[in-house]
Amino acid sequence: MLDRSHNAPELPPEIARRRTFAIISHPDAGKTTLTEKFLLYGGAIQMAGQVRAKGEARRTRSDFMQMEKDRGISVSASAMSFDFSGYRFNLVDTPGHSDFSEDTYRTLTAVDAAIMVIDGAKGVESQTQKLFEVCRMRDLPILTFCNKMDRESRDTLEIIDEIQENLAIDVTPASWPIGVGRDFLGCYDVLNDRLELMDRADRNKVAESIKIEGLDDPKLAEHVPEHLLEQLKEELEMARELLPPFDRQAFLDGTLTPIWFGSAINSFGVQELMDGIATYGPVPQPQKATPRDISPDETKVMGYVFKVQANMDPKHRDRVAFVRLAAGHFKRGMKLTHVRSKKPMAISNPVLFLASDRELAEEAWAGDIIGIPNHGQLRIGDTLTEGEDIRVTGIPSFAPELLQGVRAGDPMKAKHLEKALMQFAEEGAAKVFKPAIGSGFIVGVVGALQFEVLASRIELEYGLPVRFDASQFTSARWVTGPKLELDKFINANKQHISYDHDGDPVFLTRLQWDIDRIERDYPELTLSATKEMMV
């Protein structure tokens, strides 16, 4: 099995069959619909709940928050595990909305590859570009799925050109569309020399596949009208001259992306994409850590928390830590060391996810994502090991771009509010800052929609109406440096100082001038817009 590192050790078969990947896209490109169809093909659900259907059917399986169900958008990453043709898929569906990009960034630290979904009519959009940059920073292999080909869409070569130009990555066609919009018949499977025909009558039916011997096979003419066949041959000839052939190593290195065309809502092109992940996708990769990296073939279990979700089950005030296993073979009931507190934890009720459904996980292997219900002991960035003092690195926390004060509707419930806010801070849903002077809290988020989500969740989960008010501050920076300098700085700037939920000092600013002044007057201190969540 080829790998990103050429001399990688041979992995145990159970680990080698794992494929752990995220789906990323701009909102509305059809990401959640694609996730549904993956579950359908994997046999995990019997009927896809269409995102645009009415009433109960509208509730897609991967969106479990009340707000997601009401609005039909994903605001929280969710994980799903299922089997597909001998492989174990661990799929993470991420929020497409830019206001929730921090959740997405962190999710990308827990996967080995990403599927980028783009809309055939709109091409590469701003949020796709942002998320792609994160994949690029992590050298993640990327598979591209161009969705909605059954609607009026742009010229195929134009779409490919745009990806190559905007994202600076080589593109190779894994399939090629035959017709677009109403004339869309299906695709020619370039990698396997097959003709794939779409059935418009049954949206949940696997496409019909016809094996052919290249583009000159007379069988093609039986299924494709003459004018579309001519166009297909012409376009593919151009594509073969202009675009590089598929090279697995270039794909694993993150410099080449294969592109499939299809229509997720019509279940078309989905199986070919899944075959592509199974056949060419990377096996579980080594994980960056200190003092050494973790290799997936190690026998001792190691894992790290990349997401915490509170109140997934409103009946129990639980928090579920999403843990990516980085090494070893985990069994239910194991005792693992919580590296930050150095305390042992018995993992007695680990769960595997199918969106909001969960089942007890008797075992899991490197590459899998499991949920560990707990009462706040586990935070984002925590590492769990069989005793070794090792910490996974590279999970980011970003400075908020919007800051507001928050108050409980009922002043007597201030303590309840503090508890709710701390929970959301540990979950990574918002930054919560306690000013050094005065009472109350300042909440920081990346996008305005997060304030709505927070208010809605605090009311739903805690029965506590809250109000957000404008704050005089516009940005936040974590401050680090020698203790004496830091203390001197804090004493001189008390009105600007707050503490985050870890107790680390944060400098709240009104203007860029504030930041420039501190950098000039306190050269030994570092003001940072990101904080690594390694605890």
Side-chain angles (χ1 to χ4, degrees), residues 484-515:
L484 274 172
E485 278 290 300
L486 195 56
D487 290 348
K488 192 171 109 187
F489 163 73
I490 288 172
N491 286 328
N493 294 278
K494 272 233 159 70
Q495 70 281 18
H496 284 267
I497 299 296
S498 280
Y499 293 90
D500 71 6
H501 74 286
D502 293 322
D504 292 333
V506 177
F507 179 61
L508 298 180
T509 71
R510 283 184 289 247
L511 308 161
Q512 180 61 38
W513 182 84
D514 290 329
I515 296 172

Side-chain angles (χ1 to χ4, degrees), residues 220-472:
L220 264 171
E222 294 170 28
H223 300 280
V224 182
E226 195 179 334
H227 71 288
L228 288 178
L229 187 54
E230 279 311 304
Q231 189 186 348
L232 172 69
K233 288 181 177 176
E234 225 173 87
E235 286 180 352
L236 266 177
E237 200 172 305
M238 277 175 72
R240 284 187 171 142
E241 278 178 30
L242 297 171
L243 302 169
F246 179 70
D247 172 342
R248 179 147 189 246
Q249 196 54 49
F251 158 64
L252 290 174
D253 292 339
T255 60
L256 172 88
T257 177
I259 184 167
W260 282 263
F261 293 86
S263 160
I265 201 141
N266 286 300
S267 305
F268 182 76
V270 177
Q271 185 163 1
E272 291 69 43
L273 176 62
M274 291 174 83
D275 287 336
I277 299 164
T279 313
Y280 307 114
V283 297
Q285 294 295 306
Q287 182 62 43
K288 284 192 166 47
T290 180
R292 63 177 187 83
D293 289 357
I294 300 168
S295 177
D297 63 321
E298 292 177 35
T299 50
K300 291 206 164 168
V301 172
M302 294 183 213
Y304 59 96
V305 179
F306 66 92
K307 172 183 168 63
V308 174
Q309 185 70 50
N311 304 337
M312 271 175 89
D313 180 352
K315 293 184 207 69
H316 306 103
R317 286 244 174 273
D318 66 344
R319 295 178 212 190
V320 176
F322 285 62
V323 174
R324 155 78 193 235
L325 288 178
H329 178 199
F330 168 84
K331 295 186 187 71
R332 181 157 90 92
M334 268 181 124
K335 267 201 166 67
L336 294 178
T337 300
H338 179 223
V339 175
R340 175 166 54 91
S341 68
K342 310 225 176 342
K343 288 182 180 158
M345 277 183 89
I347 315 293
S348 46
N349 296 311
V351 290
L352 281 173
F353 297 103
L354 177 54
S356 57
D357 301 339
R358 343 170 177 176
E359 57 182 63
L360 268 182
E362 292 301 330
E363 60 168 4
W365 295 79
D368 283 339
I369 289 169
I370 59 169
I372 299 178
N374 70 100
H375 293 290
Q377 300 95 310
L378 291 175
R379 289 193 199 163
I380 294 168
D382 276 354
T383 308
L384 296 168
T385 70
E386 279 191 69
E388 189 178 345
D389 188 359
I390 188 166
R391 287 175 163 83
V392 165
T393 57
I395 298 175
S397 176
F398 298 96
E401 290 168 23
L402 299 167
L403 296 166
Q404 288 194 357
V406 61
R407 299 188 293 215
D410 176 353
M412 304 302 288
K413 297 242 171 111
K415 266 275 171 263
H416 291 78
L417 176 62
E418 179 170 353
K419 193 176 167 195
L421 291 174
M422 285 307 157
Q423 183 157 319
F424 291 128
E426 281 169 20
E427 193 184 298
K431 302 287 175 300
V432 175
F433 302 125
K434 181 96 179 85
I437 294 174
S439 60
F441 291 91
I442 291 171
V443 175
V445 297
V446 175
L449 187 56
Q450 278 178 290
F451 285 126
E452 268 184 64
V453 172
L454 276 177
S456 142
R457 285 186 62 191
I458 292 171
E459 185 155 1
L460 273 170
E461 294 167 20
Y462 291 88
L464 194 62
V466 293
R467 289 217 341 247
F468 285 103
D469 309 313
S471 161
Q472 56 169 325

